[in-house]
Every structure is written in structure tokens, then in C-alpha cells.
Amino acid sequence: MKKSLILIASLLLSNWSLAQWKGKEYVVEKDPKVQQKLEDWQDLKLGFFVHWGAYSVDGLCESWPIVSEDVDWLTPHEDLNAYRKYYFDLPKRFNPTKFDPTQWAELAEDMGAKYFVFTTKHHDGFTMWDTKQTDYKITNPEYPYANAEHADITKSLFDAMRDKGMMIGAYLSKPDWHHPYYWSKSFQSPGRNVNYKIDRHPDWWKNFTDFYFNQVEELMTGYGDIDILWLDGAWADKNNLQQDMKMDDVGAMCREHQPGILVVDRWVGGRWENYRTPEQHIPSESNPIPWETNLTVNCCFSYRFEESVETNVKSGRELTHKFIDIVSKGGNLLLNLGASPEGWFNAEEIKSVKQLGEWIHANEKAIYGTRAIAPFAEANIRYAKEKEGDKVYAYVLLQEGENMNKAMLPGCLVAKGAKIKDIATGKYVKYSRQGNSTLIDMPKKSGVAQYAIAFEISKVEKMAGKNVGKDQAAIDAENRNL
């Protein structure tokens, strides 16, 4: 097997090349199956991301309460060792009796998502599938959910989402704070990193990396077609305390079992980061490197009890505006909900994502399969184009109660004889050319339809300017306030 992996890895090395953008190098994957998968993924635009684990029992931040670091988002414990024991026992109370994977898949479809990424294991090491590598898993016979119909939660979800035609992504943490050879019991943990010197204990580290490799291989071989391996925990990297996770071996093994799979070793860069994953913010501009913003519907990735999140839930309008902004820049949105101890989601969050989905379904011709075009943003206008062809899409973002008789599309000069159509209704609208811009009649709308109005322009003579009248700081501020 090892010789096979070495051979595969050497062959794969010829499938990458380096490109430059703004003076920085990035890796381009040349494998045609990977390129096709990446192209297909970029067409999908919206993914459904779920953080779920035993931490949901108490509505805790995922994994991080057990780390010995003084960070802004955590309250320190008087006795961290005692708290860790309490935390690691949470699976004994995790019994999501209301979990229905079909219901989750229907919600994903309602919100307009085209792919699904699930936290199969977070940093705390609790495994949400029937792994053979550890007993710290959802199917442990000592835990209350072990004999449930959908006890292998990962398998149940992946099957249900595939039935809806979704791409499947497996989130997996590289570090594992429960594993005895990541945080050895011989030493105190100084933080998120391995707590011993790897060069002094290479056998310990090999034990851990073999465990990691085997868990990834289980996902690659026992859970159907996997489109994305979404890795987290960038500090577990050979350039940090020698934490070499043998990513060339892991990636080669993944491609052997799942040809064309996208591997996202996020924040690390290099050949195993097929696309970038900015977290909780939207980049200020478009770029040629495929990317995906992962964003929470409330303040946090994991579940919070209803009364603590209601004021933090992003509205349907806010989500729609952020989504359009991302689409106009050529990116994808991976939108996260945290699941409850029972196996469902907060009502206000469901309401917001369904409102987003209602808008998307009415305007999907201007969303899926689009690509960025310059200029992508002008004031409250966003632009995109169809992947192949002459059509340009303009999105007018509207605030609550805002009604406009006409809207100016700055820098967009519609070709003579071209037609402009309201995507949602299919009706053509009147317009006039104004210098290098176009003035269009705005249809009256209400409710979700009024969040933004998407127009299809059959042909554009000229797209001028680049975020005219705004410097970079202003664009960043607008994105934060959308």
C-alpha cells in the first residue's frame, strides 16, 4: 500500500503548476477531473454547512472551551482539567431523538443550497460516524444514540443530501484533542498544538498520523461519493512544531478512492488547498483563485439556545444581500447553521434561510453558473455574467421599504437593441442609455421579492470603471454593513 501511495504521489506532482496573482504565487491543479469538479462546484454558489456534535447538548462553542488559551471568545475555567472531563463526557447525554436527515435535506433544498458540508469530527475528537479507530464516537454502545435508526449520522446525512442531487463535503479536523498522541497525558496541554516534542517522540506522532490517515480513508471508502474533503486546524502543519500530517499521502489516497475530489487544507496553501475559505467575512474584491466564504446565520457556528441568539440572527434580506455580493465577486457562500441537541435548528434561523431560498428560487437564472465581471459593484448595484455567452446580470439591492421608480446602472452601457428582463417575472423593462451607463425602470415589489431585483441584460456594449467613486476601505465597510 505504501509503495502504491508513493507512486501515486509522484504522479500527482506533475498535475500542479504555479500561477501568480498580484505578485503572489498560488497553486493551480491540472488534473482534468479535479478541474471539472472545481468548475462544477463554482457553478453551485450556495452550500449548507452544519456544525453539530456533543457540544450542542449545552449550547457550547464547538471544541474551544477545552483549549488552554486566553482568547477573546472564551471564558476561562477555574479548573480546566475538571472542565475537560465534564466536556469529554457530554456524549453520554447526546441523544438527538428528533433527528431526521430527510428533513435536513428538504431544508437545504428550500434554502437554495446545492452542496452540503458536515462536521464529521471537530477538534474535540468526537466522531459523528461509525469509525473503527476510536470509541469516542456517536455509535459507541455506551452512548444513548448508538442504536437509533440514524446512529451513523454522517452516513444518514450524506445519503439524504445525495438524494437531493447535492455535492457532498466532509469537514474533518486535523488535530484531535481527545487522542492520547495529540494531547499526551504525559504533559499538560499548552494550547491548541501537540503537547510534546515530535522529534523526541516520533512513534507517538506516527501513531496519531496513522490514526488520522485511517479516519480519512474510512470516509473515502465507506460513505459513498465524496466531492470535498474540507480540512480544518491549519496549525497542525509541518511548518509548525514539525506537525507533518503527511498531506501528500492523504491527498493521494483520497484521489485514489475518490477521483477528482476537491481537497481543502484551509489556511495552509499549496497543492492541497484547491480553493480558499475566508471565514466570517466577504473579500473586498473578485480574484481568479476559487473561493468560498463560510458565514454563520447567527453569531456562532455551533448551536445556541433560542433566547441567546434571536437578536444576532441575520435577516433574510441581509443574507440575500451578502449572498449577491459574494456571487458578484465570483465566490460561493457556505452558510452555517448549528444543530440543536434534539437534531433541528432555531426557528428564527430557519426563517431567514428560507427567505433567502425563496429569493434564490425566483431568481436562480441570475445566480447558478454565473461568473464575475468587472466592475462587480457600483453603489447598491452588483453585476455578474453568464459563464458562456453575452448575458450580463445586474442586481439592485434594496433596503426595507425602499421603492425606486428608476435605477442607474453605473458603468454598464447596454448594447443597442438589447433587452432587459426582470428575472423573477420574465417581463421586459424599459430603459435608456445615459452616457456610459443605463437607466432602467424599476418594477414595484414587496416582501422577499423586494430584497433585491435581478435583471438579465441580453448584451452589453461596455462595462466601464472599477467600483467607481469608492476606495477599498469604503468597499470593505459596505461589505461589513450589508
Side-chain angles (χ1 to χ4, degrees):
M1 181 64 179
K2 197 69 175 179
K3 289 182 179 179
S4 173
L5 288 177
I6 294 172
L7 175 60
I8 294 167
S10 66
L11 290 173
L12 285 173
L13 287 173
S14 64
N15 284 328
W16 290 286
S17 63
L18 290 176
Q20 283 202 343
W21 182 65
K22 292 195 171 182
K24 295 183 178 180
E25 288 186 339
Y26 65 96
V27 177
V28 177
E29 175 71 80
K30 295 193 295 184
D31 180 339
K33 291 181 179 178
V34 176
Q35 278 296 313
Q36 185 59 57
K37 180 84 73 175
L38 193 57
E39 185 76 13
D40 294 342
W41 172 82
Q42 287 180 285
D43 289 344
L44 303 182
K45 300 306 174 189
L46 183 65
F48 182 27
F49 196 15
V50 178
H51 277 63
W52 198 28
Y55 47 79
S56 303
V57 170
D58 284 351
L60 299 173
C61 175
E62 65 288 347
S63 300
W64 288 98
I66 60 174
V67 77
S68 53
E69 291 183 6
D70 190 9
V71 291
D72 293 341
W73 65 89
L74 294 176
T75 302
H77 303 285
E78 290 186 8
D79 186 340
L80 182 57
N81 287 331
Y83 183 81
R84 282 179 178 165
K85 183 180 185 308
Y86 166 81
Y87 182 99
F88 284 132
D89 279 345
L90 286 172
K92 296 176 181 178
R93 297 163 49 208
F94 186 39
N95 191 22
T97 54
K98 295 182 181 179
F99 171 56
D100 181 350
T102 301
Q103 191 178 19
W104 283 39
E106 289 171 352
L107 177 61
E109 187 175 54
D110 287 346
M111 66 190 282
K114 297 292 186 181
Y115 63 104
F116 174 68
V117 178
F118 180 61
T119 51
T120 66
K121 186 185 76 170
H122 210 266
H123 313 321
D124 60 14
F126 184 64
T127 304
M128 297 286 279
W129 80 88
D130 187 27
T131 181
K132 303 301 184 289
Q133 309 306 314
T134 178
D135 290 331
Y136 198 57
K137 60 181 179 178
I138 189 67
T139 53
N140 184 331
E142 296 183 4
Y143 297 156
Y145 199 65
N147 296 316
E149 178 185 359
H150 302 297
D152 192 330
I153 285 174
T154 295
K155 185 178 189 306
S156 297
L157 281 171
F158 286 177
D159 288 347
M161 295 295 174
R162 275 193 212 94
D163 287 346
K164 294 292 186 181
M166 306 233 173
M167 271 194 185
I168 301 299
Y171 169 109
L172 184 71
S173 171
K174 293 190 295 181
D176 185 319
W177 295 334
H178 185 268
H179 195 278
Y181 292 114
Y182 193 82
W183 277 357
S184 169
K185 293 180 181 179
S186 299
F187 305 102
Q188 290 293 319
S189 166
R192 71 189 68 189
N193 288 292
V194 63
N195 68 342
Y196 56 87
K197 295 179 179 179
I198 291 173
D199 58 352
R200 291 187 61 198
H201 305 282
D203 52 331
W204 293 4
W205 185 249
K206 184 179 185 305
N207 183 300
F208 174 69
T209 55
D210 286 350
F211 162 82
Y212 165 71
F213 182 98
N214 292 337
Q215 280 207 318
V216 176
E217 191 164 35
E218 285 180 345
L219 291 171
M220 295 299 107
T221 56
Y223 288 81
D225 292 339
I226 307 295
D227 302 287
I228 304 162
L229 177 63
W230 209 93
L231 300 174
D232 202 7
W235 58 89
D237 180 68
K238 60 186 176 183
N239 295 315
N240 179 35
L241 303 177
Q242 303 178 40
Q243 296 181 83
D244 187 355
M245 299 297 294
K246 312 295 185 190
M247 277 305 303
D248 284 342
D249 289 350
V250 172
M253 175 268 290
C254 290
R255 295 273 165 80
E256 180 181 26
H257 295 305
Q258 302 277 350
I261 189 173
L262 303 178
V263 180
V264 187
D265 191 7
R266 61 192 306 254
W267 307 114
V268 173
R271 62 174 62 102
W272 295 113
E273 190 176 26
N274 289 147
Y275 61 81
R276 304 289 170 84
T277 57
E279 183 170 312
Q280 295 285 46
H281 78 276
I282 302 171
S284 58
E285 59 184 326
S286 175
N287 68 66
I289 306 169
W291 61 276
E292 157 199 89
T293 283
N294 57 98
L295 189 71
T296 57
V297 177
N298 66 37
C299 61
C300 315
F301 283 99
S302 56
Y303 177 79
R304 295 295 189 271
F305 290 101
E306 196 85 39
E307 62 273 11
S308 67
V309 301
E310 285 185 358
T311 58
N312 296 311
V313 174
K314 297 174 180 67
S315 68
R317 184 186 302 272
E318 184 179 4
L319 290 178
T320 302
H321 286 191
K322 288 181 181 293
F323 176 60
I324 292 170
D325 191 53
I326 289 167
V327 168
S328 73
K329 296 168 183 171
N332 284 13
L333 170 60
L334 184 58
L335 190 58
N336 180 86
L337 292 175
S340 75
E342 294 79 21
W344 194 227
F345 306 96
N346 280 323
E348 285 299 310
E349 296 176 59
I350 292 172
K351 177 182 175 182
S352 290
V353 299
K354 283 190 173 183
Q355 288 172 337
L356 168 64
E358 184 180 341
W359 188 91
I360 291 173
H361 287 306
N363 296 276
E364 60 183 29
K365 290 183 179 178
I367 296 296
Y368 304 123
T370 59
R371 293 294 185 268
I373 187 173
F376 58 83
E378 299 285 0
N380 68 323
I381 311 296
R382 299 292 182 270
Y383 297 108
K385 64 177 181 178
E386 62 177 342
K387 187 163 61 172
E388 298 177 0
D390 297 326
K391 292 176 183 175
V392 169
Y393 302 104
Y395 318 87
V396 183
L397 310 184
L398 298 172
Q399 300 305 315
E400 186 172 358
E402 183 178 12
N403 285 302
M404 304 169 61
N405 293 323
K406 294 182 183 293
M408 182 69 75
L409 306 183
C412 176
L413 182 59
V414 175
K416 291 182 179 179
K419 294 182 178 181
I420 300 180
K421 180 169 61 178
D422 175 356
I423 290 285
T425 64
K427 295 180 179 179
Y428 291 100
V429 299
K430 294 180 180 179
Y431 70 90
S432 60
R433 294 171 16 132
Q434 304 281 323
N436 282 329
S437 301
T438 300
L439 187 67
I440 58 174
D441 289 357
M442 288 283 287
K444 299 293 186 221
K445 302 201 177 189
S446 61
V448 170
Q450 188 264 342
Y451 291 173
I453 302 179
F455 297 99
E456 177 190 281
I457 304 170
S458 62
K459 191 172 183 179
V460 167
E461 182 175 308
K462 183 179 182 182
M463 295 294 290
K466 184 177 181 182
N467 304 307
V468 175
K470 293 184 181 179
D471 60 20
Q472 197 63 56
I475 296 167
D476 289 340
E478 177 181 287
N479 285 328
R480 286 194 294 270
N481 294 324
L482 276 175

